[in-house]
């Protein structure tokens, strides 16, 4: 490596080390949220609600900052690609006290990537509380494809890692590589998304509550998403320290029913040493995993008239879906053969068909609420037969 480039790399890594320890370093001063959006040679400050459409040119050569009080909304089908700025530095999306809403669909996902390998973060989440700016709802990502991000320090500059190992041993583990998504604070929910071909790690967490002035209610949850293998990169690396240890702390990083490229789930030293799935390191709450890579919303099966009967003889007992002729069992078997799992993303809704559909629709609302709470997925699919279709229609069209 030429001496000049090496010195530049050492200086850059030193700055990242300072950032990892203190969490206060920023290349670009942030504007007040009441100011209009601001753009410079190497940055874009988003200070008011902004929408990126799929028809926009989103090949970006500037770092984008979503500042406190502002929401960036990315529409389905948008393809975002970060490149180098005019000074040759990596660019990325920094959500610092603001909010990111990125909602794609299965047919038209949102993609966020880099125009070359060895990229800095693609997305960074931080949280600053500024006086006079109201707290925003959590950031929300759905059907987003994140790939081609991250950086492994040892690859191009082994001397740099050795330099940092001697200079700041406590920080070395935090900056031996940079992930595609970096989480240092905020409230973030990601669902039905995919991570692949990222260097070092798909997601990295560097959150220390002891040195945070942003409150204790920060969290990151990733559900029903796919972490696909590529090389030796990890799925998650978490460096999380909380004032309250144990499950209270781990609940800040929640992983639920994701695919880690193995039916045995992720490789995690104290959870599953035999799996060949993607690796998870650090403090997290691991709440199950999917055994296949099928990303779907939970499906609720509604039978038709006379399609629900008491499980046992008598009146007022537990209702089940047509236990005598088992009319719907072939449907369940077909869905399970195609990747669904009952009570994970496939649910039954037997109901008292003698009641008004208005009453049944209220029960359906409660069932859907329970499923969304259990799965932590924002939507469900209704698969209805006969009268079940009328119940579904009333639920959808009613207040």
């Amino acid at each position: 490596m030429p001496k000049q480039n090496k010195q530049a790399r050492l200086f850059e890594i030193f700055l990242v080390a300072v950032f990892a320890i203190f969490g206060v370093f920023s290349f670009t001063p942030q504007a007040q949220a009441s100011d209009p959006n601001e753009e410079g040679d190497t940055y874009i400050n988003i200070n008011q609600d902004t929408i990126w459409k799929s028809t926009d040119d989103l090949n970006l050569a500037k770092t984008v900052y979503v500042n406190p009080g502002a929401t960036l909304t990315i529409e389905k089908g948008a393809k975002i690609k970060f490149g180098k700025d005019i000074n040759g530095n990596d660019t990325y999306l920094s959500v610092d006290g603001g909010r990111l809403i990125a909602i794609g669909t299965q047919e038209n996902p949102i993609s966020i990537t880099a125009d070359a390998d060895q990229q800095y973060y693609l997305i960074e989440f931080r949280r600053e509380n500024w006086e006079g700016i109201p707290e925003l709802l959590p950031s929300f990502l759905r059907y987003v494809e994140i790939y081609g991000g991250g950086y492994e320090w040892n690859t191009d500059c082994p001397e740099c890692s050795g330099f940092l190992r001697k200079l700041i041993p406590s920080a070395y583990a935090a900056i031996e590589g940079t992930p595609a998504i970096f989480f240092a604070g905020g409230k973030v929910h990601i669902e039905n998304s995919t991570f692949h071909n990222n260097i070092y790690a798909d997601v990295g967490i560097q959150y220390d509550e002891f040195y945070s002035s942003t409150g204790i209610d920060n969290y990151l949850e990733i559900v029903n998403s796919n972490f696909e293998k590529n090389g030796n990169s990890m799925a998650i690396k978490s460096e999380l320290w909380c004032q309250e240890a144990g499950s209270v702390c781990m609940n800040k990083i929640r992983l639920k029913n994701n695919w880690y490229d193995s039916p045995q789930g992720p490789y995690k030293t104290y959870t599953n040493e035999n799996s060949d799935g993607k690796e998870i390191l650090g403090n997290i709450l691991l709440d199950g995993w999917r055994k296949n890579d099928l990303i779907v919303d939970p499906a609720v099966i509604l039978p038709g008239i006379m399609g629900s009967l008491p499980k046992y003889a008598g009146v007022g007992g537990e209702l089940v879906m047509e236990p005598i002729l088992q009319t719907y069992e072939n449907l369940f078997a077909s869905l399970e053969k195609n990747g669904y799992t009952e009570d994970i993303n496939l649910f039954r809704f037997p109901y008292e068909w003698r009641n008004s559909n208005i009453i049944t629709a209220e029960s359906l609302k409660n069932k859907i609420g329970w499923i969304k709470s259990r799965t932590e997925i924002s939507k469900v699919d209704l698969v209805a037969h006969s009268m079940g279709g009328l119940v579904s229609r009333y639920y959808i069209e009613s207040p």
Side-chain angles (χ1 to χ4, degrees):
M1 178 181 293
K3 182 177 181 181
Q4 184 177 4
N5 292 343
K6 180 178 177 181
Q7 290 175 340
R9 176 61 69 191
L10 290 174
F11 181 67
E12 179 184 5
I13 295 177
F14 177 78
L15 293 178
V16 175
V18 175
F19 177 78
I21 296 173
F22 299 105
V24 297
F25 186 83
S26 177
F27 286 101
T28 305
Q30 306 298 287
Q32 293 290 336
S34 59
D35 295 341
N37 292 349
E38 178 189 15
E39 184 170 355
D41 290 338
T42 61
Y43 69 91
I44 299 173
N45 273 325
I46 293 181
N47 303 306
Q48 59 190 11
D49 292 354
T50 300
I51 297 176
W52 287 356
K53 299 181 179 180
S54 61
T55 54
D56 293 340
D57 180 4
L58 298 175
N59 292 297
L60 301 170
K62 299 179 181 182
T63 295
V64 179
Y65 298 92
V66 185
N67 292 324
T71 296
L72 171 62
T73 300
I74 305 174
E75 294 188 344
K76 66 180 181 180
K79 299 185 183 302
I80 301 158
K81 183 177 288 188
F82 286 100
K84 306 286 185 181
D85 66 18
I86 60 174
N87 297 322
N89 296 316
D90 293 321
T91 61
Y92 54 99
L93 174 61
S94 176
V95 184
D96 190 354
R99 185 185 185 208
L100 174 63
I101 303 298
I103 303 179
T105 65
Q106 194 170 37
E107 297 78 16
N108 292 294
I110 294 166
S111 68
I112 303 177
T113 186
D115 66 359
D117 294 336
Q118 303 291 302
Q119 181 78 9
Y120 199 58
Y121 316 129
L122 292 175
I123 309 177
E124 170 191 65
F125 290 100
R126 296 185 177 277
R127 179 180 174 188
E128 293 291 342
N129 288 338
W130 289 3
E131 185 176 351
I133 297 178
E135 179 78 5
L136 293 175
L137 293 172
S139 290
F140 182 87
L141 287 74
R142 175 176 163 88
Y143 281 113
V144 178
E145 182 185 17
I146 298 167
Y147 65 98
Y151 191 94
E152 190 155 20
W153 295 109
N154 292 334
T155 302
D156 291 334
C157 186
E159 299 92 341
C160 299
S161 297
F163 167 78
L164 282 171
R165 191 194 299 267
K166 295 177 182 177
L167 180 64
I168 315 176
S170 62
Y172 175 72
I175 59 171
E176 60 188 2
T178 56
I181 289 184
F182 181 81
F183 177 84
K187 301 175 184 178
V188 183
H189 174 90
I190 302 174
E191 65 179 41
N192 293 26
S193 295
T194 57
F195 301 83
H196 66 89
N197 293 99
N198 294 308
I199 307 299
Y200 180 68
D202 297 309
V203 180
I205 293 96
Q206 183 79 33
Y207 177 68
D208 189 341
E209 196 171 278
F210 291 95
Y211 293 95
S212 173
S213 61
T214 62
I216 61 174
D217 57 345
N218 295 271
Y219 68 84
L220 167 67
E221 57 187 13
I222 305 175
V223 303
N224 202 38
S225 296
N226 287 355
F227 294 91
E228 299 175 6
K229 280 185 181 177
N230 54 282
N232 296 318
S233 71
M234 294 175 284
I236 309 288
K237 182 170 184 183
S238 173
E239 298 190 4
L240 176 69
W241 296 274
C242 306
Q243 296 182 39
E244 294 188 52
S247 60
V248 174
C249 180
M250 293 174 64
N251 193 53
K252 294 181 180 297
I253 310 299
R254 305 194 286 267
L255 308 176
K256 186 177 181 69
N257 288 340
N258 299 307
W259 165 249
Y260 299 95
D261 222 281
S262 170
Q264 289 78 40
Y267 174 82
K268 194 166 187 287
T269 304
Y270 61 84
T271 300
N272 194 347
E273 296 183 0
N274 298 318
S275 174
D276 62 350
K278 288 201 75 170
E279 188 174 10
I280 291 176
L281 291 177
N283 294 324
I284 52 93
L285 177 63
L286 181 61
D287 187 2
W289 55 78
R290 279 186 287 112
K291 296 183 178 181
N292 57 55
D293 62 355
L294 178 67
I295 294 179
V296 288
D297 291 324
V300 187
I301 311 300
L302 290 81
I305 192 170
M306 301 181 68
S308 304
L309 295 172
K311 185 175 183 179
Y312 305 105
V315 179
E318 178 187 357
L319 293 173
V320 295
M321 289 178 61
E322 219 292 277
I324 300 174
L325 299 177
Q326 297 188 332
T327 306
Y328 298 97
E329 294 312 303
N330 284 343
L331 173 60
F332 276 91
S334 177
L335 289 170
E336 290 183 320
K337 184 177 179 179
N338 284 278
Y340 284 83
T341 303
E342 189 158 7
D343 293 330
I344 299 295
N345 55 12
L346 180 60
F347 298 90
R348 301 170 184 254
F349 181 69
Y351 58 91
E352 178 51 79
W353 45 269
R354 299 175 184 85
N355 288 340
S356 162
N357 286 341
I358 298 175
I359 295 174
T360 306
E362 184 69 23
S363 298
L364 176 61
K365 181 187 78 170
N366 295 334
K367 178 75 170 185
I368 290 172
W370 176 82
I371 291 172
K372 289 167 67 176
S373 175
R374 175 171 174 169
T375 64
E376 298 188 53
I377 300 174
S378 63
K379 292 181 178 291
V380 303
D381 293 332
L382 301 181
V383 184
H385 171 231
S386 188
M387 183 181 281
L390 299 178
V391 173
S392 300
R393 178 172 178 174
Y394 185 85
Y395 165 77
I396 292 168
E397 294 183 351
S398 70

